[in-house]
């Protein structure tokens, strides 16, 4: 079996984790949910649920060296082989991929706009965005197809030659761009305001909806609950402290979310824009600000959208890998055939997502208060990912004997660390996640 190098594993996993979730979704969720209160719940969820379940996925993947369905089957006691169906969580990856690539397509369009010229007034910026999403079906389909084709190309090359290589190139570039953006922001007056917005909480803004969104966001940002970490851990280097890898990836990802928030809100506050702009924050407010900054704005816009695209592509390619790995190992598909299958389904679903935003077809694709896009995002982030997390906690905490779990960690989780983690995955994480979800109903 070809294994990741250590750097390759860390970069590929960080590449999967760091993405539009952290850079696009996190800032707008913070803005919509009242700033620091959301950030604090997110931090708690990230450490308590995120990091501990990240380690679970690694242990599973490393122990079994198989896809998620086979993992849950092989490790189950004889009378509980039905647990393999938990492996169907790989389907969430397909669903997330379907809308994720649509957003990536938008980013390509905005990258293009950053070169040819962006709207200069608020009204224009809103119109450009509105008309693009609800009217420009042709453009959107073009960019969407381009992104899907790019992902298909990388995935066809496999984990080592495709995914690892892509990340080895794009991730360092992303770090450099982000470091530059951060330095630029720190030098602005509005940085302090942005900092306060993220770190001084107003707890009256908290409610169960916010808590569930923060938990969902922690899962989404760490790529948990789909089997991505599990599948990548199949090819973990045999030696090395993998718990440390988990911490490195989590910390890197966390820093990215915060830096993205700080940078975005520095621009937002510096130019008197509204922080609660929702998904349009990055597509309306920021382009408008950049457009009014002259040449430096154009350069920053270009770098910002390129960074988002790099971060997004390295995440997108990870989402289908768990499903592909099931198709290859369980149904004996060749990699090409597995890819073709998952990419084709995702492409078609993606078209439905794209049409659900348009004026002409949106009406047919809106159910209750959300369109198809909204539903896919909501059902995966707020239900499927957290539930998969609970499933894995119960599996590792109660179905597997403690000695077995301890042995699986090969001494990388010892003493108080093991005890704390074990207690968290048995009680704190599942109870916390479930009660947050129940409080929504
Ligand atoms: N973590 C990525 C982001 O923040 C998205 C992502 C990639 C993902 N793979 C995933 C989310 C698997 C959930 C599950 O953008």
């Amino acid at each position: 079996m070809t294994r990741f190098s250590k750097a390759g594993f860390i970069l590929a996993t960080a590449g999967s984790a760091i993405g539009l979730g952290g850079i696009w979704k996190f800032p707008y969720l913070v803005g919509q949910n009242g700033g620091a209160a959301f950030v604090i719940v997110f931090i708690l969820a990230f450490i308590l649920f995120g990091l501990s379940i990240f380690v679970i996925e690694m242990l599973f993947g490393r122990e079994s060296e198989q896809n998620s369905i086979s993992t849950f089957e092989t490790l189950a006691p004889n009378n509980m082989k039905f647990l393999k169906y938990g492996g169907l969580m790989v389907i969430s990856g397909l669903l997330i991929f379907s809308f994720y690539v649509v957003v990536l397509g938008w980013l390509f369009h905005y990258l293009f706009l950053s070169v040819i010229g962006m709207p200069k007034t608020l009204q224009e910026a809103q119109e450009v965005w509105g008309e693009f999403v609800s009217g420009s079906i042709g453009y959107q389909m073009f960019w969407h197809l381009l992104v899907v084709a790019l992902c298909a190309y990388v995935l066809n090359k496999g984990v080592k030659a495709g995914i690892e290589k892509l990340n080895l190139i794009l991730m360092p570039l992303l770090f450099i761009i982000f470091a530059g953006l951060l330095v630029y922001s720190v030098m602005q007056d509005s940085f302090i305001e942005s900092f306060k917005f993220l770190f001084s909480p107003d707890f009256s803004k908290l409610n169960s909806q916010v808590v569930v969104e923060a938990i969902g966001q922690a899962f989404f940002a760490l790529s948990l609950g789909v089997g991505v970490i599990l599948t990548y851990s199949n090819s973990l280097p045999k030696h090395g402290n993998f718990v440390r890898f988990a911490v490195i990836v989590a910390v890197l990802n966390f820093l990215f979310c915060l830096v993205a928030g700080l940078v975005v809100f520095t621009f937002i506050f510096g130019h008197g824009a509204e922080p609660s702009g929702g998904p349009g924050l990055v597509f309306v407010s920021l382009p408008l600000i950049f457009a009014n900054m002259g040449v430096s704005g154009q350069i920053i816009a270009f770098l910002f959208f390129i960074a988002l695209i790099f971060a997004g592509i390295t995440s997108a390619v990870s989402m289908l890998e768990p499903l592909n790995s099931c198709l290859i190992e369980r149904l004996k598909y060749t990699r090409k055939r597995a890819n073709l299958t998952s990419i084709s389904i995702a492409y078609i679903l993606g078209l439905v997502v794209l049409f659900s935003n348009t004026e002409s077809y949106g009406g047919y694709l809106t159910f209750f208060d959300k369109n198809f896009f909204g539903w896919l995002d909501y059902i995966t982030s707020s239900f499927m990912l957290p539930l998969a997390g609970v499933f894995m906690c119960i599996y590792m905490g109660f179905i597997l004997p403690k000695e077995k779990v301890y042995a699986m960690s090969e001494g990388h989780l010892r003493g108080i660390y093991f005890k704390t983690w074990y207690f968290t995955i048995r009680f704190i994480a599942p109870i916390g996640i479930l009660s947050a979800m129940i409080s929504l109903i």
Side-chain angles (χ1 to χ4, degrees):
M1 131 180 283
T2 45
R3 294 186 180 279
F4 280 115
S5 63
K6 281 183 198 168
F9 180 81
I10 292 179
L11 286 183
T13 318
S16 165
I18 297 169
L20 307 184
I23 311 180
W24 169 59
K25 224 174 153 192
F26 179 74
Y28 86 65
L29 287 176
V30 173
Q32 277 180 332
N33 294 311
F38 179 84
V39 176
I40 289 178
V41 183
F42 173 74
I43 294 179
L44 278 179
F46 196 86
I47 298 173
L48 277 182
F49 312 147
L51 190 56
S52 58
I53 294 176
F54 197 96
V55 172
I56 298 187
E57 275 204 33
M58 281 182 115
L59 286 175
F60 272 133
R62 194 165 173 279
E63 177 73 16
S64 76
E65 297 193 343
Q66 298 177 62
N67 64 82
S68 35
I69 298 184
S70 308
T71 298
F72 297 136
E73 184 177 46
T74 324
L75 296 178
N78 280 335
N79 57 348
M80 297 186 91
K81 294 296 177 196
F82 63 87
L83 287 172
K84 68 178 180 199
Y85 293 110
L88 291 177
M89 66 189 192
V90 296
I91 291 172
S92 316
L94 184 75
L95 301 181
I96 296 174
F97 182 89
S98 320
F99 68 81
Y100 205 86
V101 286
V102 174
V103 179
L104 266 169
W106 298 343
L107 288 165
F108 266 96
H109 186 73
Y110 271 75
L111 179 70
F112 178 64
L113 287 187
S114 77
V115 177
I116 62 164
M118 291 173 298
K120 289 214 162 52
T121 64
L122 179 61
Q123 197 192 354
E124 248 185 297
Q126 280 166 340
E127 273 169 21
V128 167
W129 165 240
E131 274 164 26
F132 174 63
V133 172
S134 65
S136 304
I137 298 183
Y139 272 126
Q140 286 196 71
M141 282 177 66
F142 168 75
W143 295 119
H144 175 240
L145 183 63
L146 180 83
V147 176
V148 173
L150 263 175
C151 294
Y153 174 78
V154 175
L155 280 167
N156 252 334
K157 291 186 173 263
V159 168
K160 185 92 188 156
I163 295 182
E164 178 170 358
K165 200 158 164 214
L166 177 83
N167 280 291
L168 284 174
I169 302 170
L170 292 190
M171 290 310 283
L173 288 175
L174 178 66
F175 291 146
I176 295 172
I177 299 178
F178 250 65
L181 287 172
L182 179 65
V183 170
Y184 181 89
S185 305
V186 172
M187 294 185 317
Q188 311 301 310
D189 294 338
S190 51
F191 184 78
I192 307 277
E193 206 178 332
S194 165
F195 193 86
K196 277 200 196 126
F197 184 65
L198 286 178
F199 297 107
S200 60
D202 168 6
F203 285 109
S204 65
K205 296 261 170 51
L206 273 190
N207 55 45
S208 49
Q209 174 84 30
V210 175
V211 175
V212 174
E213 285 217 55
I215 295 177
Q217 177 62 13
F219 273 82
F220 193 89
L222 277 170
S223 306
L224 296 173
V226 168
V228 171
I229 306 304
L230 189 155
T231 309
Y232 277 14
S233 299
N234 288 171
S235 356
L236 204 62
K238 254 294 163 232
H239 304 288
N241 183 341
F242 59 93
V243 176
R244 187 177 305 149
F245 293 170
V247 176
I248 295 177
V249 172
V251 170
L252 274 179
N253 186 16
F254 185 65
L255 288 178
F256 257 86
C257 291
L258 289 188
V259 170
L262 283 170
V263 169
V264 168
F265 289 115
T266 301
F267 285 108
I268 296 287
F269 290 129
H271 296 261
E274 262 303 302
S276 58
L281 203 61
V282 161
F283 293 104
V284 179
S285 316
L286 284 185
L288 176 65
I289 292 167
F290 294 146
N292 286 301
M293 286 170 59
V295 180
S296 65
Q298 202 168 7
I299 297 172
I300 295 178
F302 184 80
L303 291 176
F304 183 77
F305 286 117
I306 271 274
L308 269 166
I309 288 171
F310 285 176
I313 292 273
T314 51
S315 301
V317 293
S318 75
M319 293 171 198
L320 293 182
E321 191 54 29
L323 173 62
N324 282 350
S325 147
C326 288
L327 293 175
I328 293 170
E329 290 173 14
R330 299 213 42 122
L331 301 182
K332 305 287 173 248
Y333 278 25
T334 57
R335 175 162 277 278
K336 272 217 164 63
R337 185 167 168 215
N339 259 326
L340 194 66
T341 311
S342 55
I343 290 269
S344 316
I345 303 174
Y347 176 68
I348 294 169
L349 281 177
L351 287 180
V352 182
V353 166
L354 193 158
F355 279 95
S356 79
N357 286 318
T358 61
E359 208 172 299
S360 330
Y361 303 94
Y364 305 107
L365 297 167
T366 298
F367 317 98
F368 301 101
D369 55 338
K370 284 188 186 16
N371 65 11
F372 188 67
F373 183 172
W375 278 112
L376 278 191
D377 182 15
Y378 181 68
I379 290 177
T380 48
S381 295
S382 296
F383 290 95
M384 294 173 73
L385 304 183
L387 280 181
V390 172
F391 167 77
M392 287 187 285
C393 284
I394 294 176
Y395 195 125
M396 184 146 293
F398 293 96
I399 310 267
L400 293 183
K402 188 173 179 185
E403 306 72 52
K404 165 92 180 157
V405 176
Y406 191 75
M408 278 161 78
S409 75
E410 288 184 4
H412 295 307
L413 264 180
R414 262 185 276 184
I416 184 78
Y417 292 110
F418 182 81
K419 281 202 186 112
T420 316
W421 170 79
Y422 197 59
F423 184 76
T424 310
I425 65 157
R426 295 184 91 194
F427 302 107
I428 303 186
I431 294 173
I433 296 169
L434 285 178
S435 43
M437 288 174 72
I438 289 168
S439 67
L440 259 196
I441 303 169

